[in-house]
Amino acid sequence: MAHFALVNARGIVEQVIVAEQDVIDSGLFGSPSSWVQTSYNTHGGQHPEGRPLRKNYAGVGFTYDANRDAFIPPKPFASWVLNEDTCLWDAPTPMPQDGKLYSWDEATTSWVEQAAE
């Protein structure tokens, strides 16, 4: 079994299913060319067994970029930029790595420390 993403004409993932390749090829779920295989264990171009597939596991609302052969998640904030190596979105400034909790504030384009509960 493998995971497949249903990609519409605009390149947006509409559904992700688990199926055998021959079921996809049969046309049972529509045109086989609308389905693109994705790997559940791939994130940011990394795979624990060293075999990443299409940069990221597809999710509903992701974009499939055929030129990059990659699934790209929705852009979380207008100021964030696409990392070409991982096909993930990076904040314009890295999050502090001091063990505290932070959230992104788009209005100030900065990380804001969250109060401890």
Side-chain angles (χ1 to χ4, degrees):
M1 295 283 214
H3 292 86
F4 292 89
L6 176 60
V7 179
N8 69 24
R10 296 182 329 273
I12 306 300
V13 175
E14 295 183 346
Q15 183 180 8
V16 180
I17 64 170
V18 178
E20 296 287 352
Q21 181 69 56
D22 61 338
V23 173
I24 297 297
D25 293 343
S26 75
L28 180 65
F29 295 111
S31 173
S33 64
S34 296
W35 292 93
V36 180
Q37 188 172 356
T38 185
S39 171
Y40 183 77
N41 292 309
T42 299
H43 180 77
Q46 301 294 313
H47 186 282
E49 296 173 3
R51 49 190 174 115
L53 180 65
R54 300 192 172 91
K55 299 289 186 179
N56 296 292
Y57 177 66
V60 172
F62 279 45
T63 299
Y64 175 64
D65 184 321
N67 292 329
R68 290 182 177 97
D69 192 25
F71 288 106
I72 302 170
K75 189 173 186 176
F77 299 99
S79 65
W80 289 33
V81 295
L82 186 65
N83 179 316
E84 292 290 339
D85 293 328
T86 64
C87 285
L88 296 172
W89 298 99
D90 290 339
T93 58
M95 184 173 68
Q97 298 296 312
D98 57 8
K100 298 176 184 175
L101 294 176
Y102 290 89
S103 63
W104 182 254
D105 181 8
E106 184 65 10
T108 62
T109 61
S110 63
W111 293 100
V112 177
E113 184 179 345
Q114 298 301 292
E117 293 184 19

